[in-house]
Amino acid sequence: MNTQSQAKIVSWSTAGEEVCASAARISTTAGDALELFRKARGNGKNQDLIGKVLCSGHRSVIEHAVFSIALQNVSAYVEQYFIEHRLASFTVKSRRYVDFGGLGYYVPPELSGEALSGYRKYMDGLFAAYRALLDAQVPREDARFLLPYAFCSNFYCTLNARELVRLIRSIRRGRGRNVPELLALADQLANQLGELFPSLRPELAVPAEETPLPAEPAPLFREEPAWVTEAEAGTAELLAAPSDPEKLLERAHRAAGTDGPFSLEALLASSRPRELEQLSYTFAVSGLSLAGITHLVRHRMQSVIVPPIQRVDHSRFILPESIRTNPAALEIYRTALTEANRTARQLCEDAALRSCGCYFAVAGNMLDVMTTLNARELELMIRLRTCTRAQWEIRHVVMGMLRLLREQSPALFDRFGPSCYLTGACPEGRMSCGRQAEMRSLFGGRLP
């Protein structure tokens, strides 16, 4: 199925330029905030003022204009690229709960003839196998590992003007400029933004000359696929941690001017445990599927490094238990991915198709990632992702992170776990697993 990628700005802040112009004036002009905004209404000098401020390098003023974008039928590759921009908010269609069998895939418009035929055959084969897995009673969250990264993604993205300009420029001037789909979306967004916010047109100009990017790495294939079990996938390693976290927390407690002596119990029971933000932890996670990465990066308050999908090992696939223990499903899965590995390797011998390598990756391919989080965000991540309702791969990863943290600082991290362990109550309502006593016992002892 051929689909056309589209990015549409569907909502934007009212009086965006006037608010940004007011912000540009407030630091150097007499008058209060409301008075300056009143003077900015309909002021013909707003655009010139914003342009001068931007030329001087002060781009924070345009952060006061906010835009929401609907991305329709873009490839999953585009979704992954957009999500790298941490100062934005995203809501995507869940591959755990939605059947993607009939939602289609992106077809690069530059393909024709045998290249187009080969591309379609590859995609159609994987989609047929995906539907066969669903017929074999494989959960959607595991059948999705077959989906190629050309499959259609629909999502919303909300970000301020500064970050939107940075996104467009990163496509046009960075590694995104080698991907025609991304360039087309950048053009769509630049045209719309220029109409809505004329002051930004100079910022959106297409560069006349650019230093050539390094050549894209050749897609990595092996002769035979490698299968990675659930237990082997998503191995966490703690790379950096405070040597004395309790001492840092106590100093933070004093710096905050909080009344009373410091205690971990009181801190974790607080509705605003800001002190935890002073503790920083860095992890490497090896062998995380592309699908698993989407769960990790949803936590916005982290510094995460994800290699480009072009560097994925196309021949290495995760093998979930629901498929490994189902003979009919296992045959479908292994046959489909073995054939996909062989076919993609052959297709990439064609220069026209080699540039489409990112679309040949499947959600079950794997990358190694690195991330740094503070303890407050870790508390949230652990609370959500160690719950039995969490997707199993990200739960496995976060359980591994929690084990390492408990070894490093048991006094603090022995208190971290799912909501039922932390508060004694489950927030899932009728979707609760009903195993609160078991979970409290599990997390109250040594984790398996």
Side-chain angles (χ1 to χ4, degrees):
M1 182 186 301
N2 193 1
T3 56
Q4 183 176 0
S5 299
Q6 183 178 4
K8 176 69 173 177
I9 297 176
V10 294
S11 176
W12 53 93
S13 51
T14 59
E17 281 197 329
E18 292 164 336
V19 173
C20 294
S22 301
R25 292 184 175 100
I26 198 165
S27 61
T28 58
T29 305
D32 60 38
L34 289 177
E35 179 184 356
L36 289 174
F37 180 69
R38 284 192 294 271
K39 290 180 178 179
R41 300 305 298 263
N43 190 330
K45 297 181 179 180
N46 288 341
Q47 289 188 23
D48 287 343
L49 173 63
I50 294 172
K52 290 178 182 178
V53 171
L54 292 175
C55 284
S56 68
H58 299 292
R59 290 181 166 79
S60 63
V61 295
I62 61 173
E63 294 175 15
H64 298 286
V66 177
F67 301 85
S68 292
I69 304 166
L71 289 113
Q72 176 177 306
N73 294 332
V74 300
S75 70
Y77 173 79
V78 166
E79 176 191 307
Q80 187 71 36
Y81 187 96
F82 269 60
I83 287 176
E84 291 180 15
H85 293 262
R86 311 303 300 162
L87 299 181
S89 300
F90 301 90
T91 304
V92 307
K93 191 181 294 293
S94 172
R95 271 85 86 178
R96 293 185 72 191
Y97 302 115
V98 176
D99 181 349
F100 273 69
L103 296 185
Y105 55 84
Y106 173 76
V107 178
E110 64 270 20
L111 295 183
S112 61
E114 291 186 6
L116 176 59
S117 177
Y119 182 92
R120 286 187 177 279
K121 183 177 179 181
Y122 177 86
M123 300 300 169
D124 290 340
L126 285 170
F127 271 84
Y130 169 82
R131 291 189 290 268
L133 284 184
L134 296 182
D135 291 341
Q137 305 305 308
V138 171
R140 290 187 183 118
E141 70 176 11
D142 291 345
R144 66 178 172 156
F145 290 125
L146 277 179
L147 290 173
Y149 255 51
F151 75 81
C152 284
S153 174
N154 286 262
F155 64 97
Y156 295 104
C157 169
T158 298
L159 65 178
N160 66 49
R162 183 180 188 178
E163 187 68 2
L164 180 51
V165 168
R166 193 173 80 87
L167 169 62
I168 293 169
R169 289 164 67 100
S170 78
I171 292 173
R172 288 174 164 176
R173 305 182 182 203
R175 58 185 173 84
R177 74 178 191 263
N178 284 342
V179 182
E181 183 188 11
L182 280 172
L183 284 173
L185 293 170
D187 288 344
Q188 292 176 31
L189 290 171
N191 290 337
Q192 295 169 57
L193 186 57
E195 289 297 318
L196 295 170
F197 204 144
S199 302
L200 295 181
R201 286 173 182 162
E203 296 282 299
L204 299 168
V206 177
E209 294 183 8
E210 289 291 339
T211 304
L213 285 174
E216 289 284 351
L220 176 59
F221 293 99
R222 311 180 194 199
E223 287 296 322
E224 296 294 333
W227 310 99
V228 181
T229 66
E230 287 190 11
E232 297 167 328
T235 302
E237 179 185 359
L238 181 59
L239 301 180
S243 59
D244 193 344
E246 288 185 73
K247 182 178 180 180
L248 281 175
L249 289 174
E250 186 173 3
R251 288 292 301 269
H253 174 80
R254 283 191 275 133
T258 308
D259 295 332
F262 169 75
S263 74
L264 288 174
E265 292 86 350
L267 173 63
L268 296 177
S270 167
S271 61
R272 193 168 180 263
R274 291 289 305 276
E275 293 87 340
L276 291 175
E277 296 173 21
Q278 306 306 310
L279 306 181
S280 181
Y281 297 84
T282 299
F283 295 88
V285 182
S286 59
L288 187 59
S289 75
L290 298 184
I293 287 171
T294 66
H295 291 281
L296 176 67
V297 299
R298 288 177 190 173
H299 294 269
R300 311 306 298 162
M301 301 302 294
Q302 62 176 318
S303 297
V304 61
I305 297 176
V306 179
I309 291 175
Q310 286 88 336
R311 296 188 179 276
V312 76
D313 182 346
H314 288 267
S315 307
R316 192 164 175 245
F317 306 102
I318 198 166
L319 180 60
E321 284 295 293
S322 67
I323 294 175
R324 191 185 68 82
T325 57
N326 180 332
L330 181 61
E331 177 65 20
I332 295 167
Y333 191 76
R334 292 176 72 101
T335 299
L337 290 177
T338 299
E339 177 64 16
N341 179 61
R342 183 189 67 79
T343 302
R345 189 169 70 248
Q346 291 177 347
L347 292 174
C348 285
E349 293 175 0
D350 182 333
L353 286 166
R354 192 178 307 120
S355 63
C356 300
C358 57
Y359 300 124
F360 292 132
V362 299
N365 284 144
M366 311 178 92
L367 287 170
D368 298 341
V369 304
M370 185 173 175
T371 185
T372 299
L373 311 89
N374 66 50
R376 189 176 185 183
E377 186 64 16
L378 275 168
E379 191 275 336
L380 174 62
M381 177 184 284
I382 291 168
R383 176 156 47 89
L384 295 176
R385 302 301 186 178
T386 59
C387 172
T388 59
R389 281 190 41 75
Q391 189 269 344
W392 62 261
E393 185 183 10
I394 193 64
R395 185 172 191 268
H396 170 75
V397 170
V398 175
M399 288 288 287
M401 294 167 68
L402 180 57
R403 290 187 196 96
L404 294 170
L405 292 168
R406 286 187 169 190
E407 290 173 7
Q408 195 269 342
S409 181
L412 174 61
F413 290 105
D414 279 358
R415 304 168 192 272
F416 281 39
S419 293
C420 59
Y421 172 70
L422 294 176
T423 68
C426 176
E428 295 291 338
R430 63 182 179 83
M431 303 185 80
S432 171
C433 70
R435 296 162 50 196
Q436 291 92 321
E438 177 187 341
M439 296 294 283
R440 288 194 290 270
S441 175
L442 172 66
F443 283 88
R446 182 177 178 82
L447 295 176

